[in-house]
Each structure stands twice: as C-alpha cells, then as structure tokens.
Amino acid sequence: MSFDLIHFVSSAATTQATGKGEFTGAIATAAYLFACACFILALRWLSQPGTARKGNTIGQIGMLAAIVGALLQHHVIHYEWIFVGFAIGAAIGVPMAVFMPMTAVPQRTALSHAFGALAAALVGTGHYYLYKMDVLRPHPVEMGILCLEVLLGALTFTGSLMAFGKLQDLLPTRPMVYRGQILVNLSVLGAALVCSTLLTFNPQWTWLFPILLLLSLAFGVMLILPIGGGDMPTVIALLNGYAGLSACFMGFVLDNRLLIIAGALDGASGLILSIVMCKAMNRSFTNVLFGAFGQVKAGPAAQGEKKVAKPTTPEEAAGLLAAANSVIIIPGYGMAVAQAQHKVRELYDQLTRRGIDVKFAIHPVAGRMPGHMNVLLAEAEIPYDRLLEMEEINSEFPQCDVAMVIGANDVVNPAARHDKSSPIYGMPIIDADKAKTVMAIKRSMNPGFAGIDNELYTLDQTLMLFGDAKAVVAAVAKELGES
Ligand code: NAP
C-alpha cells in the first residue's frame, strides 16, 4: 500500500490538531484513529487472496479518512496549494492506473515510491529551512530524525527512479558492476551519515544540508546500479520499506501520529516482504541492503548427452487432459506477458465441466512481483480455493496426472534441488517434475529469468507445447470444447 497521498496532504498539516479549532481538531483526531485501524485491517486482509479485495477497499476508506482528517486542520494549511497538488496528482495518477498494463505493475510501484519518498525528502528540506537558527533552534533529537527522513527519502527517490528506468527498459537492465563497488557505496552512505550526525548537533551549518541531500541522492543511484532488472522487485520491496520509514520519521518531525503509524506499517511490511522474497529466491538479505545483489552468473553448461524436448500439439494435449483425473496448472511470468489468464479460465471451465480436479500451484516468486499470479488469476475469476501455495500443493504432484506449466520456467527447474553450480540452487521450487505427465507451454527453448537451461523440458514424461501462452491455451480449450 502506498501512503504517498498522506505524505502530500500531511506536508501541509504541520501540527497535530490541538488548541485552535478544538472541535474540528477532535474530528481530525478521530479520523486519524479510524484511518490507522483501517490500514491495519487492510494489511491483514491483503495477505489472503480471499480477503484481498476487502483489504484493498478498507485501505482506500482509511486513506479517505486520513485525507479528510488532514484537510480539517484548516488553521495550518492553504487549500489552494492542496487542490493544485490534487489536480496535478490526479492528472498523472488516473491515466497511470487506467492505462498501465498488469505486467507493468513493478515499474508503476517503483514510480509511486519515488513520488512518496520525494514528498518526504521535500517536507524534511522545507522544514529545515523554516527553522530560524538565531531564534528557534531545533532540538538534536528532532534534527537527527529530520536528517534521517531526508536521507531515506532522497535515496529512495533516486533508487526508485533507477528501478523504474531498468524495468521500463529506459536504462540497461544488466547489473552494472565495477571493482570495489561495495566499498564506494558504503563510503557514500557513511559520508551521508557523518553529515547527518554533524547537522544533528550543529543545525546552523546550513552549507552542510545540500551536501547531505546530494550524497543521499547519489547513494540511491549507486544502490541500484549493480542490480539486474529481474531482481528489481525485491529491491522495490526494500525501497518501499525505506519510503515507509522516511514517512514515519516525517511523522515525528511534523508531530503527526497518523504518519508515524502509517509509515511504520508501510516500512515494516516493505522490509518483511523483501526478506520473504529473498528467502523464496535463495538470496542474502544483507547483500540486498548494500547493493551486492542480482549478479546472477549462469552455471556451466550441462555435461553429457544433450536430451531433446518432445513437442506436441493442442489436439494431443486436449486428449491427454480429457483422460486425466487431476490436473495442476503452474502459471509463471510467460502467462503474465501473454495476458493468458482469461484463456486459462476457459481451460479451467472446460476441465472442471468434465469432472476433472483442477488446482493451481503458486510459487511465491512466480512472475515478477509477489502475488503477481494471484492478481492475474483473481482478475480471471478463478476461485481462490483452487489457488494453492507451493508448500501446500507439492505433496500432491506424485498423484497428479498432468502438470501443466504455463509460461513458468525457473520456479519449476529441478536444478534448484541438486545442481550446486546453478544460480538458483537452494531456491524452493514447485515439484512439477514429479507428476505423471508434464505439459509445458512456452515459445522456445530459451531460458527464463535466471538464464539457465531447464531439465524439466527434456524429461521422459514432458511434452512441449510451443507458442504464445494465450494462443496455445485458447487452442487447447477449444479442442476440449469440441471433443
Ligand atoms: P521465468 O523463469 O522468467 O520464465 C518465464 C518463461 O515464460 C520463459 O522461459 C519464457 O520462455 C516464457 N514466456 C515468455 N513470454 C511468453 C509468452 N508470451 N508465451 C509463453 N511463454 C512465454 O518465470 P517464472 O518461472 O515465473 O520465474 C520467475 C523468475 O523471476 C524467477 O527466477 C524469480 O526468482 C524471478 N523473480 C521473481 C520475483 C517475484 O517477486 N515474483 C522477483 C524477482 C525475481 P520463452 O521465451 O521460450 O517463451
């Protein structure tokens, strides 16, 4: 969930509602309390596909309450600027929400974080320059928190813009690395922390503030340089965490409790998500923190006899599916790219109409964002109880007649279990290879995100359905409908 709008509105609402306008102040406080409860419920409900829609709705209601609460503080805000901001924000946000395809969700998320973090950094900067150093000196604790707000806000801004550029192919997606990179990164971060410490105790050294800003902006860029495009979602979750923490610090600076709570929730959920993703991808969280991440090296070419994949046709595939009792569908990035989810729904309908038990096996990092597959399948109205997490469904594969892999590759690669030289070694995978028959839909024998061959495609029980996922699934569903 993004709290960008709160960053924006709260930038104007610089004091908690007390003193003047006590009645509206009380309403604003109640609205903030209500909003906090909504955000907590939203996070709870968003964690399950069955309640995710409800979670999204309650999050939006909470956001509305937060905005109303902030706008009620009329003694500290200038409505004309607020509405200019609303108009500009809506002009950018509405087309983004309407026209951006589902496959572009990672870069859209990166942009949201960039804007939210920029708001936090600007609020911190504005607040610093509002201090009259000769009259009103900030307390060291207040100043320290302000510096952290600006540092995290600025690095998240440039880091998120870099992530957007890489995911949108505006920048080279490959990792950009050089000797001593981690040392250079740590030195820049260290220098920014030294500036923060000096400013904390000497806030009147105004010349140091722009240096802190520049170092933080530079660190954001340097953090993302060594990361490959495919690993970006993990880093985006981390940047989400930083943006949340920055908002939380902004809450302390502005004395706004809603921001403290919402920022803490946002920060904690982003950090937890990046840890979960690191585990699911067998990556080290400390490497992610310092930018030593994503430098995936392809393993050595498989030795010995090169096995050949067996292609099949939609007619043959439909015949095998019609004879099955149980089918497990494993969706992956290719299904998202092909936008095949609605055709998958048609296939699901055809199979269940014949009394075949159909389930979906969801890997935590299938696609390019956590929950990517859940969102797409929910869009196609596949019943939630048919979507099973990897740990829940893996034990069912030995009894399963057909495992149908639709545009998934790395998440079903058995090399992760036994090939110590493989970049995905240790990553938990979906046990599709244990099914009696495997059907894999993809356009070629090209590798997936990790850039490695997949022995699943050349197993004795595997048949390949080459072609675009949408077209192939549609053809198989049509054959089933006609037979
Ligand atoms: P994958 O390993 O990237 O493989 C996707 C496959 O889809 C490719 O082999 C490609 O083969 C096929 N494909 C592409 N376009 C297609 C189309 N139009 N029709 C049919 N097939 C198509 O995907 P995955 O198995 O879902 O694994 C996800 C990978 O992303 C993992 O390595 C994971 O670690 C990484 N990752 C995920 C996340 C996350 O949060 N989900 C975050 C960071 C990284 P062809 O080119 O031959 O068609």
Side-chain angles (χ1 to χ4, degrees):
M1 187 190 315
S2 169
F3 293 99
D4 310 336
L5 208 50
I6 295 194
H7 297 174
F8 166 65
V9 173
S10 298
S11 66
T14 51
T15 56
Q16 191 70 21
T18 52
K20 275 190 246 170
E22 271 183 16
F23 180 64
T24 46
I27 296 180
T29 307
Y32 281 179
L33 199 62
F34 176 72
C36 290
C38 289
F39 294 152
I40 292 167
L41 271 180
L43 284 180
R44 177 90 194 96
W45 286 340
L46 280 168
S47 62
Q48 296 292 330
T51 50
R53 262 175 214 270
K54 217 165 48 162
N56 204 357
T57 310
I58 196 85
Q60 289 175 25
I61 294 172
M63 191 61 76
L64 185 67
I67 293 168
V68 170
L71 288 178
L72 279 176
Q73 303 194 35
H74 51 80
H75 54 287
V76 287
I77 58 176
H78 300 282
Y79 287 112
E80 61 277 19
W81 286 112
I82 293 287
F83 287 110
V84 169
F86 265 135
I88 297 173
I92 300 171
V94 172
M96 250 168 73
V98 173
F99 299 114
M100 209 165 258
M102 203 52 112
T103 42
V105 165
Q107 45 269 54
R108 195 211 65 80
T109 312
L111 263 192
S112 303
H113 293 159
F115 289 139
L118 176 66
L122 287 178
V123 168
T125 306
H127 212 79
Y128 174 72
Y129 285 108
L130 280 179
Y131 290 130
K132 306 248 178 301
M133 294 302 170
D134 45 341
V135 189
L136 186 69
R137 273 210 184 190
H139 188 276
V141 173
E142 195 182 344
M143 192 57 208
I145 290 174
L146 186 144
C147 288
L148 286 177
E149 175 197 340
V150 171
L151 194 156
L152 281 174
L155 80 85
T156 307
F157 171 59
T158 47
S160 301
L161 282 187
M162 286 285 293
F164 171 78
K166 284 200 172 199
L167 288 168
Q168 194 62 31
D169 284 330
L170 301 173
L171 294 171
T173 50
R174 68 190 152 71
M176 290 181 236
V177 286
Y178 56 87
R179 197 184 283 269
Q181 192 167 24
I182 296 184
L183 199 68
V184 175
N185 286 6
L186 285 178
S187 307
V188 173
L189 178 64
L193 288 172
V194 169
C195 287
S196 302
T197 313
L198 290 173
L199 275 165
T200 298
F201 297 103
N202 307 282
Q204 73 281 10
W205 291 0
T206 45
W207 55 272
L208 204 51
F209 196 85
I211 299 178
L212 167 65
L213 252 182
L214 284 178
L215 285 170
S216 311
L217 291 168
F219 182 69
V221 175
M222 295 162 81
L223 186 74
I224 304 301
L225 278 183
I227 295 167
D231 278 329
M232 214 51 78
T234 313
V235 178
I236 288 178
L238 186 71
L239 291 169
N240 181 171
Y242 289 163
L245 283 181
S246 170
C248 181
F249 290 137
M250 175 161 63
F252 282 107
V253 170
L254 301 179
D255 194 16
N256 184 310
R257 274 158 235 163
L258 171 71
L259 264 181
I260 296 173
I261 296 172
L265 287 174
D266 198 13
S269 55
L271 290 176
I272 292 171
L273 184 58
S274 51
I275 292 171
V276 169
M277 287 169 75
C278 281
K279 265 200 193 147
M281 292 168 66
N282 195 28
R283 302 280 203 245
S284 144
F285 183 64
T286 26
N287 282 0
V288 181
L289 281 180
F290 299 111
F293 185 51
Q295 296 163 40
V296 176
K297 291 183 185 64
Q303 298 295 310
E305 189 195 339
K306 194 127 177 101
K307 290 179 113 188
V308 185
K310 292 182 285 297
T312 188
T313 59
E315 298 78 38
E316 194 187 345
L320 281 168
L321 285 168
N325 288 318
S326 63
V327 172
I328 300 179
I329 296 177
I330 303 122
Y333 178 64
M335 184 193 81
V337 179
Q339 286 289 290
Q341 62 274 21
H342 296 287
K343 295 296 167 195
V344 172
R345 169 72 209 225
E346 283 175 25
L347 179 66
Y348 170 83
D349 287 341
Q350 289 295 345
L351 294 171
T352 48
R353 205 166 287 154
R354 289 165 180 262
I356 300 168
D357 179 50
V358 185
K359 289 179 181 150
F360 290 80
I362 310 294
H363 191 281
V365 294
R368 290 294 181 269
M369 284 294 282
H372 203 167
M373 298 300 119
N374 301 67
V375 171
L376 292 174
L377 295 172
E379 185 194 316
E381 299 190 347
I382 306 273
Y384 300 133
D385 63 352
R386 299 281 93 192
L387 312 186
L388 294 157
E389 300 294 331
M390 176 174 62
E391 305 81 39
E392 292 174 279
I393 202 159
N394 263 352
S395 61
E396 296 190 24
F397 278 99
Q399 298 87 47
C400 164
D401 295 318
V402 180
M404 191 166 204
V405 179
I406 305 181
N409 192 338
D410 296 341
V411 299
V412 287
N413 191 339
R417 281 195 223 114
H418 62 78
D419 183 356
K420 289 195 174 148
S421 65
S422 170
I424 59 165
Y425 178 68
M427 175 168 115
I429 55 154
I430 290 185
D431 294 340
D433 57 320
K434 296 189 177 160
K436 292 172 194 155
T437 301
V438 179
M439 284 179 201
I441 301 177
K442 68 200 295 289
R443 297 163 307 173
S444 64
M445 288 300 281
N446 285 344
F449 158 72
I452 45 170
D453 286 342
N454 191 339
E455 65 198 53
L456 175 77
Y457 303 141
T458 51
L459 292 179
D460 292 341
Q461 76 270 35
T462 303
L463 297 167
M464 299 299 295
L465 275 160
F466 288 116
D468 176 73
K470 190 172 178 178
V472 173
V473 174
V476 176
K478 187 163 171 267
E479 287 293 332
L480 275 169
E482 287 170 359
S483 63

